[in-house]
Amino acid sequence: MKPIVTLTINPTIDLATAVAEVTPEHKLRCDAERRDPGGGGLNVARVIRELGGESLALYPRGGSTGELLERLLEEKRLRRWPISISGHTRENFTVTERKSGREFRFVMPGPTLTEAEWKTVLDSLSTVAADVEFIVASGSLAPGVPVDFYARVAHIAREQNAKLVLDTSGEPLRAALEEGVFFAKPNRKEFRDMMGPQVDEPAGMAAAARSFLEKGRAEILVVSMGADGAMLTTREGQYRAVPPPVKTASSVGAGDSFVGGMTFGLARGLPPHEAFRWGIASGTAALMSQGTDLCSRQDVEHLLTQVQPTRLA
Ligand SMILES: Nc1ncnc2c1ncn2[C@@H]1O[C@H](COP(=O)(O)OP(=O)(O)OP(=O)(O)O)[C@@H](O)[C@H]1O
Ligand SMILES: [Mg+2]
């Protein structure tokens, strides 16, 4: 298997802690913090590695937080291609309130990239893409990066004969789909924003997914629906899968784990409906892990036996 390249244009250091109760004004005494590398593409790269695949993570980073990010990625033994920028890598943080079990997720905008910086990222992608089968681009854009950034990524993927997996939202997603991608994984809300309220009914969603494919925007479309599972659409057919029941520790990273698991399956040559099972198992396994932990291979392999997609059409 060739390495799967992941692109993270706005990586972060994810800080996780817990507190008895979140209240204003008083000092909130927190548990010892843990730090993990984060951002869509870095999470996907970690999941692929955890499942036994090879990944190469491409990302900009800068400042002292950028150095810390390097160390954290080294600990995770990720193969990486960092691009130096002048701004500081962002830090996001998640606080679990023990009293209620609720998670508060604070997300920073990230450093502003200059035109020269984001163009260097694209040039680096062109270089690595020449020799790979899959590129996964995931996450929000950093400030300063143009809205057609992922469309440019899609263009590079096509030129280099690589398959692009894209997980993002809003205008950047829309623009990239005009260019066309291999596999897109919006969640229900992201898909609704593109296709309209017909998506709220199961039949309407299935029809919207088919018309999405007919327009040539993607070859594989998965609309993920949290606890309700996900729907897969390809030219060969449409499938629905529900997640096996699990005890939820934290919902952080479910979407990225889904994308990592399904892409890993596709890269191993599995047909889409089989790779889809890996996606569901990985997304659901992420819920069994605490805080910013993603899925573990053991949990994924265990859940896999319980995922049976049903064919809709
Ligand atoms: N509460 C849940 N119970 C069981 N499985 C879940 C749950 N939430 C998510 N999953 C699994 O993870 C997959 C992806 O989740 P979801 O649709 O929430 O993605 P997302 O909205 O992109 O998530 P994220 O917030 O991580 O970006 C689902 O298809 C499902 O397999
Ligand atoms: Mg998501």
Side-chain angles (χ1 to χ4, degrees), residues 40-293:
L42 290 179
N43 288 342
V44 171
R46 284 171 58 196
V47 169
I48 289 166
R49 234 203 104 87
E50 169 70 20
L51 297 179
E54 243 203 276
S55 57
L56 171 63
L58 188 77
Y59 54 95
R61 58 101 172 95
S64 52
T65 42
E67 281 167 33
L68 177 57
L69 179 67
E70 281 309 311
R71 283 214 297 282
L72 293 170
L73 290 171
E74 205 171 293
E75 278 169 24
K76 303 279 180 204
R77 312 188 69 77
L78 273 195
R79 266 181 72 191
R80 46 198 208 277
W81 183 317
I83 290 140
S84 291
I85 56 167
S86 53
H88 278 60
T89 295
R90 66 184 169 146
E91 292 172 286
N92 290 341
F93 72 100
T94 300
V95 180
T96 304
E97 185 183 57
R98 277 195 302 272
K99 192 177 169 195
S100 65
R102 290 186 302 177
E103 266 177 0
F104 295 85
R105 295 161 73 170
F106 298 87
V107 176
M108 308 300 150
T112 300
L113 267 63
T114 64
E115 184 171 341
E117 287 170 345
W118 60 259
K119 283 192 166 161
T120 305
V121 174
L122 290 177
D123 289 344
S124 306
L125 181 70
S126 288
T127 308
V128 291
D131 201 31
V132 300
E133 192 186 355
F134 283 93
I135 298 169
V136 183
S138 172
S140 58
L141 297 181
V145 177
V147 76
D148 71 348
F149 182 77
Y150 285 134
R152 293 172 192 242
V153 168
H155 186 76
I156 290 170
R158 165 125 26 86
E159 268 182 349
Q160 304 286 14
N161 234 339
K163 295 178 171 125
L164 178 64
V165 178
L166 183 62
D167 184 8
T168 190
S169 58
E171 214 36 59
L173 172 62
R174 213 185 291 266
L177 292 171
E178 292 292 318
E179 191 70 35
V181 307
F182 178 67
F183 165 28
K185 191 221 70 71
N187 63 24
R188 184 160 30 197
K189 180 182 178 301
E190 291 158 354
F191 193 56
R192 187 185 198 273
D193 288 346
M194 276 190 295
M195 308 301 287
Q198 63 160 314
V199 162
D200 295 341
E201 296 294 327
M205 178 182 288
R210 286 193 301 272
S211 98
F212 182 93
L213 243 70
E214 278 154 20
K215 291 194 175 106
R217 291 174 177 167
E219 287 178 42
I220 299 175
L221 171 72
V222 170
V223 181
S224 70
M225 298 175 274
D228 294 333
M231 188 183 69
L232 164 74
T233 309
T234 70
R235 249 168 230 108
E236 278 70 56
Q238 217 160 23
Y239 297 80
R240 178 70 204 275
V242 289
V246 294
K247 200 165 163 284
T248 302
S250 160
S251 68
V252 175
D256 295 334
S257 294
F258 185 102
V259 171
M262 178 141 171
T263 306
F264 172 72
L266 292 169
R268 283 171 67 208
L270 296 178
H273 66 278
E274 283 294 322
F276 182 52
R277 293 177 60 229
W278 278 84
I280 295 279
S282 304
T284 303
L287 289 140
M288 300 165 73
S289 319
Q290 291 289 340
T292 48
D293 264 351

